[in-house]
Amino acid sequence: MKVPSKEVREFTATAIIGFALQRGLAKGWVKGREYRQAVDQAWLAVNSRTSFDGTFIDVCESTAKQASNEDYIKRRAILGPDPRAGGMAMLFATERMQATRR
């Protein structure tokens, strides 16, 4: 599996989209190998940027109202602990664990 390029490596979006796709597969809302592969790639990306001590890599700072698209794109990337990233990673991890038990 290939990790997305640096330009698209935002942690929280990857985690929540992976969670949503995993839930969709579990509930039968979406079907197919492509969705399972997308979930696996998202998990690889989230897992590879999560440490055992709760440190994360490439978590965009919280998004408030931005003055321009440029400001949105240039948000700071966090390297360290972040409760939003942790919450989204835990949602994704829990959904994946439940899927293996079904």
Side-chain angles (χ1 to χ4, degrees), residues 1-6 8-9 41-46 48-49:
M1 280 179 271
K2 191 173 165 185
V3 176
S5 68
K6 181 112 177 101
V8 295
R9 273 192 184 188
Q41 287 179 323
W43 181 248
L44 177 63
V46 167
S48 69
R49 291 181 282 137

Side-chain angles (χ1 to χ4, degrees), residues 52-71:
F52 291 107
D53 67 355
T55 299
F56 302 98
I57 300 169
D58 289 336
V59 176
C60 282
E61 66 184 341
S62 185
T63 306
K65 182 179 177 186
Q66 303 293 321
S68 68
N69 285 342
E70 176 112 359
D71 289 345

Side-chain angles (χ1 to χ4, degrees), residues 68-101:
S68 68
N69 285 342
E70 176 112 359
D71 289 345
Y72 177 80
I73 292 168
K74 289 186 173 183
R75 288 173 298 147
R76 185 173 66 95
I78 298 168
L79 171 58
D82 184 82
R84 293 172 310 111
M88 291 181 199
M90 289 300 293
L91 278 172
F92 191 12
T94 302
E95 194 68 25
R96 280 185 63 90
M97 287 182 352
Q98 289 176 346
T100 63
R101 293 180 180 169

